[in-house]
Amino acid sequence: MNTYFSIVIPTYNRETLLPRALDSVLAQTYHNWECIVVDDHSTDNTIAMLESYVARDKRIKVITNTHRKGAPGARNTGLDVAQYDWVIFFDSDNYMYPSLLEVVNGSMESGEDVFVWFSRVIDANSGKVVSFFEPKCTQNVVDDIWTERCYVDTNNAVIRKSKLLEIGGWDEFCPSMEEWDLHIRLV
């Protein structure tokens, strides 16, 4: 399968954290991607820092919201301009292992709308793994999410764009637990 991915990164005042996330995207061994960074009206030097990344690689695009919309709103902004059928929502303080997109591409099966994988939470100071998210959902994903047997994080799923548009994207009025809301509506 030769898949193209749209990676959407919402950001707000993350000029010091965002470079690590972007460097991890640039380091991918699989090259069929675009990275849409949606600046949610930052007041620091995030935009100036992003300009250097846009100059380095034309696959990185920057969209600036005219007002604060929050993470769900910024993700919807990115979704609206995503060119490809598969979307990964990635947070600006996370990073990808270099082979992530290659492994995900090789694991995808036709006919599915959502693919998930496990992710580790690493302490930034010590570099030690402190926890991890491993989706262990059964056929009844909604019940699994409600009963906390299955947790799907924004950063460890690739979702078909048409399916996201079909459900109306992210609920911009959902101030927390927006990942759960989105994945329940996807089922």
Side-chain angles (χ1 to χ4, degrees):
M1 187 178 239
N2 196 18
T3 307
Y4 283 81
F5 298 99
S6 293
I7 303 164
V8 176
I9 303 177
T11 191
Y12 175 72
N13 288 345
R14 294 291 189 126
E15 69 176 297
T16 59
L17 292 174
L18 190 54
R20 184 173 182 184
L22 291 173
D23 290 342
S24 77
V25 172
L26 288 169
Q28 290 300 298
T29 57
Y30 188 81
H31 302 285
N32 297 343
W33 55 264
E34 68 173 346
C35 182
I36 303 160
V37 182
V38 181
D39 180 70
D40 201 28
H41 207 65
S42 291
T43 57
D44 66 357
N45 291 317
T46 296
I47 292 295
M49 181 274 304
L50 284 169
E51 289 172 357
S52 68
Y53 280 90
V54 171
R56 284 173 52 190
D57 195 309
K58 65 182 180 177
R59 295 174 295 175
I60 297 177
K61 299 161 181 70
V62 177
I63 308 294
T64 304
N65 283 339
T66 57
H67 64 280
R68 290 281 322 271
K69 294 174 74 174
R75 290 181 184 118
N76 281 338
T77 298
L79 177 62
D80 289 343
V81 300
Q83 294 183 65
Y84 302 125
D85 193 36
W86 291 101
V87 181
I88 298 171
F89 296 101
F90 201 64
D91 289 342
S92 57
D93 61 346
N94 292 344
Y95 63 94
M96 299 178 178
Y97 285 107
S99 62
L100 175 71
L101 295 180
E102 185 175 346
V103 170
V104 169
N105 179 62
S107 302
M108 295 173 67
E109 299 174 20
S110 62
E112 299 297 328
D113 294 318
V114 179
F115 296 91
V116 296
W117 56 88
F118 88 95
S119 61
R120 295 180 180 142
V121 177
I122 299 173
D123 181 272
N125 296 322
S126 70
K128 294 181 181 181
V129 175
V130 293
S131 67
F132 62 93
F133 299 117
E134 185 174 2
K136 294 181 181 180
C137 300
T138 66
Q139 292 296 325
N140 194 341
V141 175
V142 173
D143 282 350
D144 289 347
I145 290 173
W146 280 114
T147 58
E148 298 182 23
R149 285 190 303 260
C150 179
Y151 178 75
V152 181
D153 187 58
T154 304
N155 304 290
N156 64 335
V158 58
I159 306 166
R160 192 180 299 273
K161 180 179 177 179
S162 59
K163 188 69 173 176
L164 287 160
L165 294 174
E166 180 183 308
I167 66 164
W170 293 85
D171 182 347
E172 296 183 22
F173 299 101
C174 184
S176 64
M177 308 298 274
E178 65 263 19
E179 293 94 348
W180 287 26
D181 172 74
L182 181 83
H183 287 280
I184 288 170
R185 290 186 295 117
L186 281 169
V187 175

